């Protein structure tokens, strides 16, 4: 038994160090990707559940590798967060989203805000407000067209710090959304003490609303309570007409999901906006 224990320990160490070196390798390639401008933003429409009208969009980062393959954010954002690269990457996302949104605004094809995801590490960085202000100034984008998406855990992590930063963001004129709502432990009444405009119900609650009465009850309750607190509600990850029909019945304001559109590269989003404008 002792022998086996030792072997197991050795085996485990091997796995750990392999994963560690894979991580280092990925981190190195990510550093290069930032310098080689291999990062791109895709945009996913957000639409009114009743009218189908475009009410916003979310910018989602992609890592486009030289061989044409694409690394999804779930594969590199956590690493960028750990090694601190998320701060310069996040600053680029803010600048690029503002630049693109202002270009659409100037062309007269967009009148909706763009949502940008922020991670906790960026939120704790003392340069965040200066970075946002620089992105707005550089692009000329009016602040009301920028919507910051913050996860529940980020918001609840350090409530005093959060309240202060969010108040400053609100003073700038930005919109604020709570992302992945329902996955954390915060109560709506607590959130109401922050100057939040909108909740995004996490995809995991929406996925089974048609078949699971418990999920349906949770989604419906979040929507009703959010409205009582005068918050707007967006459902994430809507894929079917049946889901949309329920969300309409429950008066969910808007949704985002494959049913309407996958996230699109900027040039395809431009085409979509021109089409919408023409109709
Ligand atoms: P998220 O903010 O919750 O973004 C929504 C994710 O759901 C996106 O995945 C989107 O492509 C996906 N999605 C949208 N509609 C549907 C649907 O109908 N069905 C399904 N199955 N999925 C749908 P994506 O683009 O892979 O992004 C994953 C996560 O990576 C995001 O989750 C966000 O947490 C993070 N992320 C993306 N871009 C950024 C960024 O610029 N900065 C930071 N800090 N995080 C980002
Ligand atoms: Ca988001
Ligand atoms: Ca989300
Ligand atoms: Ca998510």
């Amino acid at each position: 038994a002792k022998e086996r224990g030792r072997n197991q320990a050795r085996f485990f160490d091997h796995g750990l160090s392999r994963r560690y070196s894979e991580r280092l390798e990925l981190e190195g390639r990510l550093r290069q990707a930032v310098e080689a401008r291999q990062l791109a933003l895709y945009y996913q429409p957000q639409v009114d559940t009743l009218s189908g009208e475009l009410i916003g969009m979310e910018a989602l980062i992609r890592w486009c590798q030289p061989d044409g393959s694409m690394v999804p954010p779930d594969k590199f954002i956590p690493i960028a967060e750990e090694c601190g690269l998320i701060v310069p990457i996040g600053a680029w996302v803010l600048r690029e989203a503002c630049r693109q949104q202002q270009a659409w605004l100037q062309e007269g094809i967009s009148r909706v805000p763009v949502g940008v995801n922020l991670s906790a590490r960026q939120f704790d960085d003392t340069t965040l407000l200066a970075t946002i202000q620089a992105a707005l100034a550089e692009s000329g984008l009016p602040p009301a067209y920028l919507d910051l998406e913050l996860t529940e855990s980020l918001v609840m992590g350090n409530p005093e710090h959060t309240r202060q930063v969010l108040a400053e963001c609100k003073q700038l004129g930005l919109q604020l959304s709570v992302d992945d709502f329902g996955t954390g432990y915060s109560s709506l009444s607590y959130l109401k003490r922050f100057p939040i405009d909108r909740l995004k119900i996490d995809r995991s609650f929406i996925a089974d609303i048609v078949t699971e009465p418990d999920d349906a009850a949770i989604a419906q309750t979040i929507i009703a309570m959010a409205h009582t607190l005068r918050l707007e509600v967006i459902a994430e990850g809507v894929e079917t007409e049946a889901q949309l029909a329920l969300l309409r019945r429950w008066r969910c304001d808007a949704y985002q999901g494959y049913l309407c559109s996958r996230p699109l590269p900027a040039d395809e989003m431009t085409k979509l906006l021109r089409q919408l404008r023409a109709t």
Side-chain angles (χ1 to χ4, degrees):
K2 207 172 168 189
E3 192 59 33
R4 197 166 71 212
R6 245 200 334 260
N7 281 339
Q8 263 173 3
R10 211 154 45 215
F11 176 72
F12 194 48
D13 280 345
H14 247 108
L16 271 185
S17 70
R18 193 180 54 238
R19 248 174 300 158
Y20 182 67
S21 62
E22 273 172 10
R23 196 156 248 258
L24 276 183
E25 204 247 345
L26 200 59
E27 186 185 320
R29 286 199 293 126
L30 188 53
R31 272 179 207 285
Q32 287 167 1
V34 175
E35 278 154 29
R37 298 171 188 275
Q38 291 167 10
L39 300 179
L41 292 183
Y42 276 42
Y43 297 88
Q44 188 176 35
Q46 299 168 335
V47 298
D48 187 289
T49 48
L50 292 175
S51 66
E53 211 178 311
L54 187 76
I55 60 113
M57 55 180 114
E58 178 176 7
L60 293 157
I61 198 168
R62 299 290 180 264
W63 174 4
C64 309
Q65 302 203 294
D67 67 2
S69 64
M70 213 158 60
V71 185
D74 290 336
K75 284 263 154 53
F76 68 91
I77 291 292
I79 293 170
E81 279 168 351
E82 264 173 50
C83 70
L85 265 180
I86 194 64
V87 173
I89 290 176
W92 174 82
V93 171
L94 279 163
R95 287 197 355 250
E96 176 58 16
C98 289
R99 185 202 62 74
Q100 180 62 76
Q101 184 57 29
Q102 175 67 354
W104 284 328
L105 218 59
Q106 299 259 292
E107 195 188 326
I109 54 175
S110 172
R111 269 168 290 124
V112 299
V114 63
V116 168
N117 292 285
L118 285 193
S119 65
R121 190 86 178 243
Q122 281 173 278
F123 203 72
D124 293 338
D125 192 90
T126 51
T127 62
L128 178 66
L129 277 156
T131 303
I132 292 170
Q133 281 173 302
L136 292 170
E138 197 180 293
S139 61
L141 183 72
Y145 289 96
L146 180 61
D147 176 11
L148 300 181
E149 296 197 1
L150 315 138
T151 61
E152 212 177 333
S153 51
L154 181 158
V155 173
M156 300 308 292
N158 182 348
E160 249 335 292
H161 172 71
T162 303
R163 191 200 311 282
Q164 203 180 320
V165 179
L166 293 187
E168 289 174 274
C169 289
K170 229 31 226 174
Q171 243 151 31
L172 282 181
L174 307 178
Q175 310 237 9
L176 299 174
S177 298
V178 175
D179 204 357
D180 301 345
F181 187 79
T183 58
Y185 298 97
S186 54
S187 70
L188 278 169
S189 62
Y190 202 104
L191 275 181
K192 190 52 196 171
R193 289 157 57 186
F194 299 121
I196 299 291
D197 301 294
R198 186 172 309 105
L199 296 183
K200 300 185 74 179
I201 307 179
D202 191 65
R203 190 170 78 221
S204 60
F205 292 105
I206 302 300
D208 300 320
I209 50 172
V210 176
T211 51
E212 297 290 333
D214 288 351
D215 288 7
I218 291 171
Q220 196 175 357
T221 303
I222 293 175
I223 294 164
M225 282 169 59
H227 282 164
T228 304
L229 298 171
R230 287 179 298 282
L231 298 170
E232 199 178 280
V233 195
I234 301 193
E236 296 189 312
V238 176
E239 299 184 351
T240 68
E241 286 290 350
Q243 288 171 322
L244 178 57
L246 285 177
L247 292 166
R248 277 189 184 130
R249 188 185 306 162
W250 300 334
R251 297 282 179 263
C252 184
D253 303 285
Y255 78 94
Q256 194 179 330
Y258 297 165
L259 177 63
C260 171
S261 168
R262 290 189 173 255
L264 303 170
D267 57 339
E268 281 180 44
M269 190 64 185
T270 303
K271 278 185 216 155
L272 180 74
L273 290 170
R274 286 184 186 144
Q275 269 169 21
L276 288 175
R277 182 58 207 271
T279 54

